[in-house]
């Protein structure tokens, strides 16, 4: 008799079909579009480029989505095969603006050269970063995921206010009201019984929000017909990259931050979709980012990394398929080749993105809190590790100028709340949970302050008449019951005298 084949398909390997891949992939593109175009806009303006050249920078950044489309299938050692979307990283904006604004050698070409050189160095050191997974238990990953969500909330707030802080209507009730309407639409569509509508709630809410904005005169599509319909990014349009030591050194620090943040995003999405992420998959994902970052400057783009915004979209929709985000990468390539389509998406009011962003980024934080609920807080200082790491990550958000007087390399690393909390969580976890020499048996008021609970398994091991006396457990006949140390260092009664323990 033939043994039936049992499938062990990973959740990320599910292929939903062309139609669903296109719909959910477009939703990913809309979510990340504002973040992608913001980086070339900021750097292009700082470099004094013309509007036409800035438009080419935007097209190049969209075209870099080819890296995302190629990485998700996971060819050889490039790509972690997870539903992560790759795009231009925000981490290097301050450093690249400083390079083009310093008046030194190279200018914009120096930025491109520094990105290529630093990304090559990052590619060479990925084996080191790929072996840190054992230092990312739920304690650390929960902290990082929570911080990612909290760090992105100011972005959602700025979007809801209109996006451009110099605009006269920035923060107006009209903008915030439009964001609120979009938020309400997301919630209402999520409540509808249809699974398809619920999963597309973000996309549908943005479409309806944009239609409302058109009727209210808050959306301008007049520029959609202006400009070419088709255009291919020209290699080295901005000149050949130049290589200068100071610029490369600064970008190396940015690449280190990018590797930390991408590692956190890869582990976060693995936790959200419930799949295993080992050192091999982590290394493959990091190599994909570094390889894309090396080739992006050829067309005029910058460092690439996994987009934290889209981690939230995965958590909200529950769509775990990597083919969805690969399709989104193809959309980005098409948008890079069709400036017309790019102008259509660019016309979506920023306030609409802000309303959806509140749900997206809040969901990331909620996923982190759910992960932290799995942490054992008994007789240890895990509570203070969580408190200190999240607090440390919130410093750049609460006080953006906090690190202005620190050395530039230090400020570059810790100006990101995500990398700040990740570094602090890793260091504290190593100090208290791995380097246990000198740890007290009764570890501080933070351990004592945690809620006192007993597990059902502990109670199930007890019998009628068992009692505690002088710190020892005795049975009904007065005989002492041995107490063993659990794997977490917590005393547990030996159940040898009782019935076999039942796992609940």
């Amino acid at each position: 008799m033939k043994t039936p084949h049992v499938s062990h398909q990973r959740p990320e390997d599910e292929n939903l079909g062309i139609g669903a891949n296109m719909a959910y992939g477009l939703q990913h593109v809309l979510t990340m579009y504002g973040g992608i175009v913001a980086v070339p806009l900021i750097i292009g303006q700082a470099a004094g480029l013309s509007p036409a050249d800035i438009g080419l920078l935007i097209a190049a950044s969209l075209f870099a989505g080819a890296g995302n489309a190629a990485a998700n299938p996971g060819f050889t050692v490039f790509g972690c095969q997870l539903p992560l979307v790759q795009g231009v990283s925000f981490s290097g904006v301050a450093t690249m603006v400083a390079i083009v604004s310093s008046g030194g050698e190279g200018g914009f070409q120096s930025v491109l050269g520094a990105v290529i050189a630093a990304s090559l160095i990052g590619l060479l050191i990925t084996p080191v970063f790929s072996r840190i997974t054992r230092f990312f238990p739920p304690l650390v990953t929960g902290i990082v995921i929570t911080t990612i969500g909290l760090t992105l909330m100011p972005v959602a707030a700025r979007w809801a206010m209109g996006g451009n802080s110099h605009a006269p209507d920035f923060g107006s009730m009209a903008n915030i009201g439009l964001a609120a309407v979009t938020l309400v639409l997301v919630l209402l569509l999520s409540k509808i019984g249809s699974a398809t509508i619920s999963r597309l709630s973000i996309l549908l809410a943005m479409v309806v929000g944009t239609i409302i904005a058109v009727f209210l005169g808050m959306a301008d599509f007049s520029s959609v017909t202006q400009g070419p319909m088709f255009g291919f990014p020209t290699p080295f349009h901005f000149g050949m990259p130049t290589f200068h030591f100071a610029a490369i050194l600064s970008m190396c620090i940015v690449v280190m931050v990018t590797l930390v943040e991408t590692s956190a995003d890869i582990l976060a999405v693995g936790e959200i979709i419930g799949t295993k992420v080992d050192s091999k998959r982590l290394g493959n994902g990091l190599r994909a980012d570094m390889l894309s970052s090396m080739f992006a400057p050829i067309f005029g783009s910058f460092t690439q990394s996994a987009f934290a915004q889209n981690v939230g979209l995965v958590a909200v929709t529950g769509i775990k398929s990597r083919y969805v985000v690969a399709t989104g990468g193809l959309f980005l390539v098409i948008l890079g080749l069709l400036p017309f389509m790019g102008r259509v998406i660019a016309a979506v009011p920023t306030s609409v993105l802000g309303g959806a962003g509140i749900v997206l980024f809040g969901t990331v934080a909620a996923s982190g809190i759910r992960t932290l609920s799995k942490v054992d807080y008994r007789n240890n200082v895990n509570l203070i590790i969580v408190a200190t790491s999240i607090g440390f990550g919130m410093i750049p958000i609460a006080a953006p100028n906090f690190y202005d007087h620190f050395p530039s390399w230090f400020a570059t690393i810790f100006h990101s709340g995500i990398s700040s909390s990740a570094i602090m969580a890793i260091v504290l976890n190593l100090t208290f949970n791995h380097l246990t020499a000198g740890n007290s048996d009764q570890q501080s008021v933070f351990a004592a302050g945690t809620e006192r609970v007993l597990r059902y398994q502990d109670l199930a091991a007890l019998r009628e008449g068992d009692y505690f006396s002088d710190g020892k457990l005795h049975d009904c006949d007065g005989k002492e019951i041995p107490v063993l140390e659990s794997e977490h260092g917590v005393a547990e009664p030996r159940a040898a005298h009782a019935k076999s323990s039942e796992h609940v």
Side-chain angles (χ1 to χ4, degrees):
M1 182 170 146
K2 191 174 181 180
T3 304
H5 175 71
V6 179
S7 175
H8 297 285
Q9 186 185 49
R10 301 176 302 181
E12 64 270 26
D13 291 334
E14 181 184 7
N15 193 336
L16 305 178
I18 296 177
N21 286 342
M22 292 181 64
Y24 296 130
L26 180 60
Q27 189 168 234
H28 274 286
V29 171
L30 289 173
T31 301
M32 69 186 299
Y33 188 86
I36 288 181
V37 302
V39 175
L41 275 174
I42 295 170
I43 298 174
Q45 290 171 354
L49 299 181
S50 67
D53 279 342
I54 292 177
L56 292 176
L57 279 185
I58 294 175
S61 296
L62 292 168
F63 186 72
N68 178 68
N72 276 287
F75 299 119
T76 61
V77 295
F78 297 98
C80 58
Q81 299 184 342
L82 287 170
L84 282 167
V85 182
Q86 195 180 77
V88 183
S89 173
F90 268 97
S91 302
V93 170
T95 299
M96 289 185 282
V97 167
I99 293 173
V100 299
S101 304
S102 62
E105 296 181 342
F108 187 76
Q109 290 76 24
S110 181
V111 169
L112 300 178
V115 171
I116 292 174
S119 299
L120 175 60
I121 295 172
L123 181 65
L124 296 176
I125 66 173
T126 49
V128 177
F129 275 82
S130 65
R131 290 181 172 84
I132 64 174
T133 51
R134 68 189 184 96
F135 299 120
F136 278 83
L139 172 67
V140 175
T141 55
I143 290 170
V144 174
I145 297 170
T146 303
T147 307
I148 289 173
L150 296 177
T151 300
L152 290 171
M153 289 310 296
V155 176
R158 285 194 297 271
W159 285 353
M161 297 172 73
N164 182 6
S165 59
H166 300 292
D169 63 343
F170 182 72
S172 67
M173 288 301 298
N175 283 334
I176 295 176
L178 182 59
V181 169
T182 306
L183 172 60
V184 171
L185 286 171
V186 172
L187 297 177
L188 289 177
L189 292 172
S190 299
K191 184 178 174 61
I192 291 178
S194 170
T196 302
I197 293 178
S198 180
R199 287 178 168 181
L200 287 172
S201 59
I202 301 293
L203 174 61
L204 294 175
M206 286 194 289
V207 171
V208 176
T210 302
I211 294 173
I212 294 173
V214 170
F215 281 104
L216 294 177
M218 297 176 64
D220 183 12
F221 285 86
S222 60
S223 62
V224 169
T225 56
Q226 299 175 4
M229 293 286 293
F230 176 84
F232 188 86
T234 306
F236 304 114
H237 171 82
F238 300 97
M240 295 298 295
T242 57
F243 302 91
H244 303 279
F245 178 76
I248 293 173
L249 182 62
S250 297
M251 285 307 301
C252 280
I253 298 174
V254 171
V255 165
M256 297 301 112
V257 174
T258 301
L259 287 173
V260 172
E261 292 186 347
T262 299
S263 297
D265 287 336
I266 291 174
L267 293 166
V269 81
E271 180 75 23
I272 289 170
I273 71 173
T275 193
K276 181 181 179 181
V277 178
D278 54 18
S279 60
K280 180 181 178 181
R281 293 188 77 180
L282 181 59
N284 291 346
L286 295 176
R287 275 188 285 272
D289 272 9
M290 292 299 99
L291 189 67
S292 296
S293 299
M294 283 178 57
F295 284 98
I298 294 176
F299 298 99
S301 190
F302 315 102
T303 52
Q304 308 288 304
S305 69
F307 258 49
Q309 294 97 315
N310 297 79
V311 175
L313 187 59
V314 172
V316 169
T317 62
I319 300 298
K320 304 174 182 180
S321 173
R322 58 192 171 96
Y323 298 104
V324 166
V325 293
T327 305
L330 292 176
F331 273 123
L332 290 175
V333 174
I334 294 171
L335 290 175
L337 297 174
L338 298 175
F340 170 80
M341 292 300 297
R343 292 191 294 270
V344 171
I345 296 181
V348 174
T350 311
S351 297
V352 171
L353 295 175
I358 292 174
V359 179
L360 292 174
F361 305 155
T363 304
V364 177
S367 298
I369 295 171
R370 182 175 57 189
T371 302
L372 287 173
S373 68
K374 303 175 183 177
V375 176
D376 184 5
Y377 296 98
R378 297 176 300 173
N379 197 34
N380 54 44
V381 289
N382 283 343
L383 185 66
I384 195 174
I385 293 174
V386 173
T388 305
S389 302
I390 292 180
F392 199 68
M394 290 300 98
I395 288 176
I397 306 303
N401 301 324
F402 189 87
Y403 295 111
D404 281 3
H405 298 289
F406 284 71
S408 58
W409 64 268
F410 188 94
T412 300
I413 295 173
F414 289 96
H415 186 70
S416 166
I418 299 171
S419 58
S420 296
S421 65
I423 292 170
M424 181 62 73
I426 292 170
V427 170
L428 293 181
N429 180 55
L430 286 172
T431 302
F432 289 104
N433 293 331
H434 288 266
L435 305 176
T436 56
N439 283 6
S440 171
D441 291 336
Q442 301 295 325
Q443 297 199 6
S444 84
V445 295
F446 292 96
T450 57
E451 182 182 1
R452 184 177 179 226
V453 295
L454 285 175
R455 296 179 304 173
Y456 176 79
Q457 293 94 320
D458 300 332
L459 295 176
L462 300 177
R463 278 186 169 185
E464 184 72 25
D466 290 347
Y467 64 94
F468 273 98
S469 178
D470 297 327
K472 297 180 180 179
L473 179 63
H474 302 270
D475 63 15
C476 58
D477 297 324
K479 295 179 181 179
E480 183 182 345
I481 301 173
V483 176
L484 303 178
E485 289 289 324
S486 74
E487 61 179 346
H488 300 295
V490 181
E492 294 181 338
R494 176 183 284 174
H497 72 296
K499 294 185 295 183
S500 297
S501 299
E502 294 182 358
H503 297 283
V504 179

